[in-house]
Amino acid sequence: MALVQNRLTVFYVYGAHMIWSPAAFLWIWLAVIPDVLVLLLLFVLLIYIPWKWPDSNRYYILFGLIFASFVLIILSSNILLLIRTGYTINWKVVLALKVKSTAILYWPELFKFVLILFSQLFLGFVLWRIGHSYVRKTINSHYFRPLHTRYVVVSIIFGLLVIYSTIVVYFPPVHSWKEPSLNVVLSLFPATFNYYGKNEETVQDYWEKNETDFIEQFIRAPKIQISQPTTILSKPVKHIFLIILESIRADVLPFNFNFSTIIGTKSRTNVTADDVSPFFNSLWNDSVRTTATTIATYTLKSLIGTLCGIYPLNVDFLQEANAKNKFYEICLPELLRQTFRTSATSSSFRSAFFTSARDDFDRQRELIRRMKFDNVYSGFDVVNRTGSAPDVGMFGPSDSTILPLLWDWIDNNLDGKKENKLMTSLLLTGTHEPFVMPPKERIYRNYLEDTRANKYLNTIRVTDTLLKTIIDGLKSRDLYSETLIVIVSDHGYAFRDWGRKSLAAWRVPFECAFRVPLMLHNPNLKAKQLDGQYTNMDILPTIMDALLSSQETLNGSVNRLLNVRQDQLNSVLSQYEGTSLLRLSNAHKNQRYTFHLDNPGNSHVIVKQYPRKLVYDVHYDEARLFHLGYDPQESINIISFDRHDYKGAYPGWIQADHIRNSSRVWSKRLGQKNKISDYHKNLLRKNFNEQISNIKQNISRISLKEMLDWADATLELASIWTTLVKVRYLYGNITIAPSKSNFQLKAKGT
């Protein structure tokens, strides 16, 4: 039954509402075969062999090993289905998977797998003792002799299959499989039982206005100074080309020579940025550029922040695309259509989303449709156009195969329609692990000794060539000078940084998984390096700022950014929680609070007010606190100093002015919260305004008491934030409407 539950998890939880059809039913029964074999094996080991050969009790010793092997096989196959296929159960892909390319999925869980194996071996020995003492006598009794007839055996198997079918149809499991290696009996069964045994979870449907106002000041980016641009836009921009890269961390694009030291490897040659990405580097140095922090390290959740300017839900995988959830703000394609109209019924903007990846993974297709692009093209369209396009890596054909469709769409929408404006979004996946080179790419360079990291850099070089092809295509169509090109990554990637075990972005709360490059490029946009705490949620407001500034105005200023209508820009900034990179922030405000989720979405809740960073581990109900200025490796958990029995030394940069606060609690704090207590409000009102320029090693020390006070208040804020985002998705945008004693949540537009 544990295997049955495990199998159902794959099809229902990660399968994203499979449509019932004869084909789907056939796939389910094919997936049942391993479970039936396990059940049959257990029947043979537990009943038939002891009855046939009563003196051969050694078979009970083998039972634990065989059963454990089957458990590992089933768990491994489910991991592959989860990572590789979504709800399109492509067994060809699973069976063709190479061990080297998937080792990254297993190494972090190896200890748990071994623990399961030994636990099952122990179970085998226990069963041997039971069989030696009791089972043989019981089986030989007259009560159990009829069980050995072939008809009864068939009846038992048939009955198990009927039970299986009933569970499949009526009781799909809830989403509670936190880790692929967890024991399914201990994790899935109780959760499913509790789920079907209680009423649907309720969420508070009202907030007091003063409470909402207080929370909003921390969740939204600080106000900007609209009259003080950060750069110069000498000519208007007309089109938007948004390129989203896959798994590109900030220290590899452009390449930083410290990267090899951070991941614990050596360079085979003196690798420079121009060796890895020469074209990107030329754009980078001639652009408005910065390092941003993505709000989520799960690609599809990250897209929500980039294209819609809103936070994702702190739940595993893409439940935001469920029909019951509403996007509490409109996404960029629809916002452009509404803002730039040619008449009451038509708009000058056309939008399209392109990716060579198949868009059937975890409701991606539903997500992009929810964003309301005019057109969507994926790897399926590539195959339909070319007739055959072999997969490269995990998700579909190589990135270059989508370009003919992209150019056709651009040419068709501009042919004789000069008034049209285009918003093009391109998701490139060629740098996703296992970092497979395109089949026609003959050049492979040895940058680093670490094989995985070296393959990673080679795929970045291939992507760099593709970026040059795209820019050349814009130039050949005379679109380059009037297009704002935005390049950002969906998230970073961990390569066991600083000796840690973390790989990829799965349950990795560290900065290497979140820090990404962000670049705005146009030949008429003056290049500048920006230093600030930006996220990918700032992309939407920044794009709107550039386009609103490009409208015709009476002001003849050289800098188009000085021509923007402040009421229009303020309307966008008040609607979304991000900010514009093209304006100076208010220097009198505290450092910005940002909220982040790591892959798959409900592993850690992370809050930053640079340089402070709070990490709450959802699985283990544990809070950790870091100071990124003095501890960029995130190796010192400052909360550990709050233990009453702590007797160790403190780092030199900490001022130990701390008296343990008995009222401070770090566990069981995240959950349904109605309001922030007055105690935590007072803590949040404190002046936690340490500027970046003041963070210098060995010059000054930080107050341990203030760090712990900040963490205490911020953990409370994180709990409120998780509930507020959930409420927004359930009810739409929050509009404050007075009532007797509270302020009701109303769906947007009502």
Side-chain angles (χ1 to χ4, degrees), residues 468-497:
K468 183 178 186 304
T469 302
I470 293 170
I471 302 302
D472 289 343
L474 294 176
K475 290 180 178 179
S476 67
R477 291 167 172 79
D478 295 327
L479 298 175
Y480 176 62
S481 62
E482 56 187 14
T483 301
L484 177 64
I485 301 166
V486 182
I487 301 179
V488 69
S489 178
D490 57 351
H491 55 78
Y493 195 92
F495 286 96
R496 297 195 178 98
D497 293 53

Side-chain angles (χ1 to χ4, degrees), residues 173-187:
V174 294
H175 191 124
S176 61
W177 196 22
K178 301 301 184 184
E179 296 182 58
S181 60
L182 285 179
N183 186 295
V184 289
V185 177
L186 297 180
S187 62

Side-chain angles (χ1 to χ4, degrees), residues 16 21 64 72 78 112 204 217 221 224 251 258 288 304 391 395 399 483 497 524 527 578 616 680 702 750:
S21 66
L72 295 180
N78 283 344
K112 295 174 183 175
Q204 178 183 335
Q217 67 177 304
I224 58 175
D251 54 2
N258 289 325
V288 174
I304 294 174
D391 283 1
F395 297 115
D399 288 328
T483 301
D497 293 53
N524 301 308
Y616 177 78
H680 289 105
I702 64 169
T750 60

Side-chain angles (χ1 to χ4, degrees), residues 571-588:
S571 176
V572 173
L573 295 175
S574 63
Q575 188 175 353
Y576 296 89
E577 285 139 346
T579 188
S580 172
L581 280 69
L582 303 177
R583 312 284 169 174
L584 290 175
S585 61
N586 193 326
H588 301 293

Side-chain angles (χ1 to χ4, degrees), residues 310-328:
I310 62 178
Y311 279 112
L313 287 165
N314 63 311
V315 294
D316 286 342
F317 298 97
L318 197 63
Q319 294 190 27
E320 292 85 350
N322 288 348
K324 70 176 183 179
N325 289 324
K326 307 173 181 66
F327 282 11
Y328 59 88

Side-chain angles (χ1 to χ4, degrees), residues 330-607:
I330 60 176
C331 299
L332 184 58
E334 187 178 5
L335 180 62
L336 293 175
R337 283 194 298 271
Q338 291 185 6
T339 305
F340 302 97
R341 290 186 175 277
T342 57
S343 68
T345 58
S346 62
S347 173
S348 58
F349 257 97
R350 304 291 183 270
S351 61
F353 182 90
F354 295 87
T355 181
S356 65
R358 296 182 301 274
D359 59 352
D360 59 348
F361 181 79
D362 192 17
R363 287 165 278 193
Q364 177 179 331
R365 189 174 301 141
E366 290 88 337
L367 172 67
I368 302 303
R369 287 174 180 169
R370 183 76 67 88
M371 294 177 178
K372 297 188 178 180
F373 281 91
D374 293 323
N375 301 99
V376 179
Y377 299 90
S378 70
F380 290 113
D381 298 289
V382 171
V383 174
N384 291 336
R385 178 188 176 97
T386 61
S388 63
D391 283 1
V392 175
M394 282 193 172
F395 297 115
S398 61
D399 288 328
S400 60
T401 59
I402 198 68
L403 293 187
L405 289 168
L406 185 148
W407 297 130
D408 284 351
W409 180 82
I410 290 178
D411 294 339
N412 292 336
N413 277 277
L414 293 180
D415 185 19
K417 306 169 187 174
K418 296 300 182 182
E419 73 281 0
N420 279 356
K421 300 175 182 179
L422 304 183
M423 185 264 168
T424 309
S425 181
L426 174 62
L427 173 62
L428 301 176
T429 60
T431 49
H432 194 287
E433 58 92 15
F435 314 123
V436 178
M437 299 287 284
K440 295 183 179 180
E441 180 61 46
R442 303 301 180 188
I443 301 175
Y444 185 85
R445 296 178 181 173
N446 292 319
Y447 298 113
L448 305 174
E449 291 183 358
D450 184 275
T451 302
R452 182 180 290 106
N454 196 68
K455 292 170 66 178
Y456 178 60
L457 295 184
N458 273 275
T459 57
I460 291 176
R461 179 177 53 78
V462 173
T463 299
D464 183 70
T465 303
L466 184 65
L467 292 177
K468 183 178 186 304
T469 302
I470 293 170
I471 302 302
D472 289 343
L474 294 176
K475 290 180 178 179
S476 67
R477 291 167 172 79
D478 295 327
L479 298 175
Y480 176 62
S481 62
E482 56 187 14
T483 301
L484 177 64
I485 301 166
V486 182
I487 301 179
V488 69
S489 178
D490 57 351
H491 55 78
Y493 195 92
F495 286 96
R496 297 195 178 98
D497 293 53
W498 308 113
R500 291 189 288 257
K501 296 180 180 180
S502 301
L503 279 169
W506 181 271
R507 298 199 75 238
V508 178
F510 304 111
E511 289 295 281
C512 57
F514 288 90
R515 303 294 288 176
V516 298
L518 172 56
M519 179 178 74
L520 310 173
H521 180 79
N522 180 274
N524 301 308
L525 185 66
K526 185 177 180 180
K528 186 171 184 179
Q529 173 71 45
L530 299 180
D531 296 318
Q533 296 308 303
Y534 300 108
T535 75
N536 59 323
M537 290 177 65
D538 300 326
I539 292 175
L540 183 149
T542 302
I543 289 175
M544 292 301 298
D545 189 355
L547 291 173
L548 292 172
S549 299
S550 298
Q551 296 180 111
E552 295 297 330
T553 62
L554 297 177
N555 190 339
S557 173
V558 175
N559 188 359
R560 301 288 305 189
L561 297 174
L562 294 173
N563 296 340
V564 70
R565 285 183 52 183
Q566 294 199 15
D567 59 335
Q568 288 183 318
L569 183 54
N570 274 324
S571 176
V572 173
L573 295 175
S574 63
Q575 188 175 353
Y576 296 89
E577 285 139 346
T579 188
S580 172
L581 280 69
L582 303 177
R583 312 284 169 174
L584 290 175
S585 61
N586 193 326
H588 301 293
K589 294 292 182 180
N590 287 355
Q591 287 289 95
R592 177 184 184 181
Y593 275 87
T594 58
F595 301 80
H596 312 271
L597 303 170
D598 59 348
N599 192 329
N602 194 30
S603 297
H604 298 88
V605 175
I606 300 161
V607 188

